[in-house]
Amino acid sequence: MSHPIYLVDAFADRAFRGNPAGVVVLDEAGDPVWMQNVAMEMNQAETAFVWPQGDNWRLVWYTPTTDVDLCGHATLASAEVLFQRLNSSSLVFETLSGPIECIRKGDDWSMDFPAESGAEHTERGEKWHLICEILGQEPIWFGRNRMDWLALVEEEQVRSFQADPVLISKLGMRGLILTAQDKRGQDYDFISRFFAPQSGVPEDPVTGSAHCFLGPFWADRLLKTSLCGFQASRRGGYVRVDVGAGRCELAGKATTVLEGVFKA
């Protein structure tokens, strides 16, 4: 049986920027082994699979090596695909992290995600020594939420950091976020990069779900609830974040760059 498949650049206003995600539209629930194989074949940071579930849509995400609990850019990509197919500007995705409502506002999508606040890792044990080895120095702040580690460092270190995938993999969890406050007076509040070799993603270009951690983190420090983050990967991309009570509204654009049929 064949299935429509798309490649969408998320958190991007034009092709070849932001974060590419695969999107496969199904008529019913997919076999997990088959979906993992498709994600491996697509070889994107995440491939999303969507199918009807009552009045809503079921949405699952896979990296080339594993399924994940939460993904922002592939959610944005999925909303854009369904808008193109059905002209639906309001969607609810049922996911492993609960329902995610997506609303199209002009050319942007607004996505209602759970906030994923974290806590500082205060033990000076194995993980602390490992992050110091990864960074080549002590972080300003180091902690985690239920999915990722986060290290606060200086802005230039975020931009120039050379990742060692073997060392980062030893941290466990889904991945490692590096972040710093913008001090260049740009039109964003903070910068970040995201590395997840332990999940099959050496460096993710733009990570929406990481901003569910970054949003509350920077809202507390900058004393503002509406923020804009820039992910300083080679492709680069912007994620707007509005932090509320237990929720983060993520916003951005998406551009479809490829449409085809998956026949395997």
Side-chain angles (χ1 to χ4, degrees), residues 2-8 21-28 30 34-35 38-39 42 46-51 57-60 74 77-78 81-82 85 260-264:
S2 60
H3 303 284
I5 190 165
Y6 302 80
L7 187 65
V8 181
V23 179
V24 182
V25 182
L26 305 175
D27 294 326
E28 58 186 13
W34 177 82
M35 291 190 291
V38 173
M42 289 294 290
E46 271 89 11
T47 296
F49 299 82
V50 296
W51 60 87
W57 292 83
R58 183 66 180 176
L59 171 61
V60 296
S78 299
V81 165
L82 292 178
R85 289 176 63 88
V261 177
F262 197 89
K263 295 185 177 181

Side-chain angles (χ1 to χ4, degrees), residues 84-114:
Q84 293 171 13
R85 289 176 63 88
L86 306 173
N87 197 32
S88 179
S89 58
S90 179
L91 302 158
V92 176
F93 292 117
E94 303 293 344
T95 79
L96 289 174
S97 293
I100 297 174
E101 183 179 14
C102 300
I103 299 175
R104 190 175 177 88
K105 300 178 179 179
D107 293 331
D108 285 19
W109 282 98
S110 174
M111 304 179 292
D112 180 39
F113 271 74

Side-chain angles (χ1 to χ4, degrees), residues 121 123-139 142 167 171:
H121 186 77
E123 296 180 13
R124 294 301 185 258
E126 176 187 356
K127 299 300 185 183
W128 172 259
H129 293 297
L130 183 55
I131 192 62
C132 291
E133 185 178 1
I134 289 167
L135 298 175
Q137 63 186 67
E138 292 187 358
F142 179 56
L167 285 179
L171 280 171

Side-chain angles (χ1 to χ4, degrees), residues 87-255:
N87 197 32
S88 179
S89 58
S90 179
L91 302 158
V92 176
F93 292 117
E94 303 293 344
T95 79
L96 289 174
S97 293
I100 297 174
E101 183 179 14
C102 300
I103 299 175
R104 190 175 177 88
K105 300 178 179 179
D107 293 331
D108 285 19
W109 282 98
S110 174
M111 304 179 292
D112 180 39
F113 271 74
E116 297 286 352
S117 299
E120 186 172 9
H121 186 77
T122 57
E123 296 180 13
R124 294 301 185 258
E126 176 187 356
K127 299 300 185 183
W128 172 259
H129 293 297
L130 183 55
I131 192 62
C132 291
E133 185 178 1
I134 289 167
L135 298 175
Q137 63 186 67
E138 292 187 358
I140 300 169
W141 186 95
F142 179 56
R144 54 167 282 188
N145 64 6
R146 70 182 179 95
M147 298 184 296
D148 302 313
W149 294 96
L150 185 148
L152 174 62
V153 296
E154 296 294 340
E155 182 177 3
E156 185 52 41
Q157 187 168 14
V158 175
R159 297 182 184 275
S160 64
F161 180 70
Q162 298 293 315
D164 184 326
V166 175
L167 285 179
I168 293 175
S169 294
K170 292 180 180 179
L171 280 171
M173 306 288 286
R174 183 183 67 163
L176 170 65
I177 306 165
L178 296 187
T179 190
Q181 184 177 357
D182 168 56
K183 295 183 179 179
R184 298 186 179 188
Q186 303 293 327
D187 54 352
Y188 45 85
D189 299 291
F190 60 88
I191 66 170
S192 67
R193 290 173 68 189
F194 182 77
F195 307 90
Q198 58 269 56
S199 300
V201 185
E203 179 173 4
D204 198 33
V206 188
T207 316
S209 58
H211 286 75
C212 297
F213 192 173
L214 289 162
F217 180 85
W218 284 111
D220 288 345
R221 285 157 179 78
L222 300 179
L223 301 179
K224 57 191 297 188
T225 57
S226 292
L227 306 114
C228 183
F230 174 66
Q231 196 151 329
S233 65
R234 183 178 60 85
R235 291 174 66 104
Y238 297 89
V239 182
R240 294 187 299 282
V241 189
D242 284 303
V243 181
R247 307 296 295 180
C248 279
E249 182 180 304
L250 308 183
K253 294 180 170 63
T255 301

